[in-house]
Amino acid sequence: MSPERYQRIRDVLAKRQTDLTVCLENVHKPHNVSAIVRTCDAIGIHRVHTVWEEKYKLRGGTAMGSQQWVRVNNHDNITDAIGALKSQGMQVLVTHLSEDAVDFRDVDYTRPTAVLFGQEKYGVTDEAIAMADQDIVIPMVGMVQSLNVSVAAALVLYEAQRQRQIAGMYDIQHLDEEECQRMLFEGGYPRLQKMCKRKEIPYPPIDENGHIAADERWWQQMQMSPAAIKALHADEAAE
Ligand code: SAM
C-alpha cells in the first residue's frame, strides 16, 4: 500500500472509539443496516453488535458483508448481546418512545456506551427494554410517530460524537496496536488478506511505511497451495 494510504488508515484507527457501540436488534433492511454502519464508521465506532431472529438474518447479514472498516459481532439473542455489552462496563441505552424515556441529548455519551436500535416496524423487544439501563427518545412533534431507524441512529451517534469531541476523546488512541496491525493488513492488502484466510496463514506485520514486514517463510507459504501448507505443518509437527 502507498505511504499515503497507510497514513490515512492510521489516522482513522487513531480516532476509533472502542467504548462506544451500537446494537442492532432485528434491523434487517439492507439499506438501513448499511446506512447505520456507514454512520458508525464516520463517527469512529470500531465494532457494532447485531442480533437477528432467524427470519431477519439473511437480509441483515447480507448487508454486513461489504463492511470492511467496522467490525461486527453477531449474537444469538438479545439477552446474550446486552449481557456481553454490560460485562464490558457499558451503559446500555435503548431507543424507545416511552413515557420514561429521556431526551437523547440529556445523556452522557462520554461514558462507555452501547445504543440499541430496533426493528423497522416493531421497534425494540420487551426483553431489550427490560435489560437496558435507560430509554432514550428523539423528540417528535409532527404527525408521524417515529423516524427511520438509520436517521435516528445518525442523530444519536452524532450527539455522542459531539460530546466525545469536546471531551478530547478523539485525541487519544484507544485501539491497541495488535488490532491496528490487523486492520492495516485487511484494509491495505485485501487480496493477500483473503489468501491468508483461505490458507490459514497468520497476518504479517506492517511496518511504518505501510509495507509488509514478513520473513521468507511467510512469503513461501503464500506461494504454496493450502494442501502443501498442511503437509508442511504436519512434517514440522512430526519432527
Ligand atoms: N413502532 C415502532 C416503535 O414504537 O418503536 C417504531 C419503530 S422505528 C421506525 C425503528 C427504530 O428507529 C426504533 O426501534 C428506534 O430504534 C428508532 N427510532 C425511530 N424514531 C425514534 C425516536 N423518535 N426516538 C428514538 N428512537 C427512534
Side-chain angles (χ1 to χ4, degrees):
M1 98 180 98
S2 69
E4 292 76 22
R5 182 160 173 83
Y6 171 78
Q7 202 44 59
R8 169 111 177 81
I9 300 175
R10 272 281 176 203
D11 292 347
V12 165
L13 297 178
K15 294 192 185 309
R16 280 319 204 212
Q17 305 289 296
T18 48
D19 61 350
L20 177 65
T21 188
V22 304
C23 180
L24 306 182
E25 189 189 28
N26 293 320
V27 178
H28 65 290
K29 293 193 175 163
H31 60 275
N32 286 334
V33 176
S34 293
I36 294 170
V37 179
R38 193 167 172 165
T39 303
C40 288
D41 172 56
I43 73 132
I45 286 180
H46 180 57
R47 188 179 295 279
V48 305
H49 297 260
T50 57
V51 175
W52 289 296
E53 282 166 34
E54 208 51 45
K55 62 183 169 212
Y56 301 125
K57 201 171 263 173
L58 188 65
R59 298 191 72 201
T62 310
M64 284 296 182
S66 60
Q67 308 302 337
Q68 187 187 355
W69 297 107
V70 178
R71 299 265 191 237
V72 182
N73 268 41
N74 188 46
H75 301 267
D76 289 342
N77 54 61
I78 194 66
T79 310
D80 286 1
I82 297 181
L85 295 165
K86 285 194 170 177
S87 74
Q88 291 168 36
M90 302 227 182
Q91 62 170 338
V92 177
L93 308 174
V94 59
T95 49
H96 180 228
L97 303 98
S98 72
E99 294 277 297
D100 305 330
V102 301
D103 186 310
F104 77 108
R105 293 161 294 196
D106 293 338
V107 171
D108 179 3
Y109 297 95
T110 62
R111 290 176 55 193
T113 301
V115 190
L116 239 121
F117 296 93
Q119 203 256 16
E120 284 85 348
K121 187 165 178 196
Y122 304 109
V124 289
T125 58
D126 291 343
E127 291 100 296
I129 296 165
M131 283 185 81
D133 299 305
Q134 177 69 62
D135 295 5
I136 58 170
V137 68
I138 302 161
M140 306 283 297
V141 294
M143 292 295 285
V144 293
Q145 194 216 1
S146 63
L147 296 166
N148 166 277
V149 65
S150 68
V151 173
L155 289 168
V156 175
L157 294 177
Y158 268 93
E159 172 60 16
Q161 192 265 357
R162 187 189 71 81
Q163 292 185 14
R164 284 175 168 243
Q165 188 107 50
I166 292 169
M169 294 173 80
Y170 286 89
D171 302 333
I172 31 169
Q173 179 162 330
H174 304 265
L175 216 53
D176 62 42
E177 183 54 23
E178 212 178 308
E179 180 65 355
C180 287
Q181 286 281 323
R182 275 196 290 271
M183 296 295 288
L184 281 162
F185 182 60
E186 290 178 6
Y189 298 91
R191 219 169 46 82
L192 293 181
Q193 183 259 339
K194 278 197 194 101
M195 226 190 264
C196 274
K197 277 250 154 89
R198 194 160 47 81
K199 298 185 180 189
E200 297 180 24
I201 299 172
Y203 290 177
I206 304 295
D207 72 15
E208 64 284 356
N209 297 311
H211 298 145
I212 292 176
D215 55 18
E216 200 50 42
R217 181 185 158 85
W218 188 85
W219 287 110
Q220 276 167 3
Q221 289 193 20
M222 290 298 272
Q223 308 288 327
M224 293 162 77
S225 68
I229 294 170
K230 269 208 181 106
L232 174 73
H233 289 165
D235 284 352
E236 286 172 349
E239 274 169 17

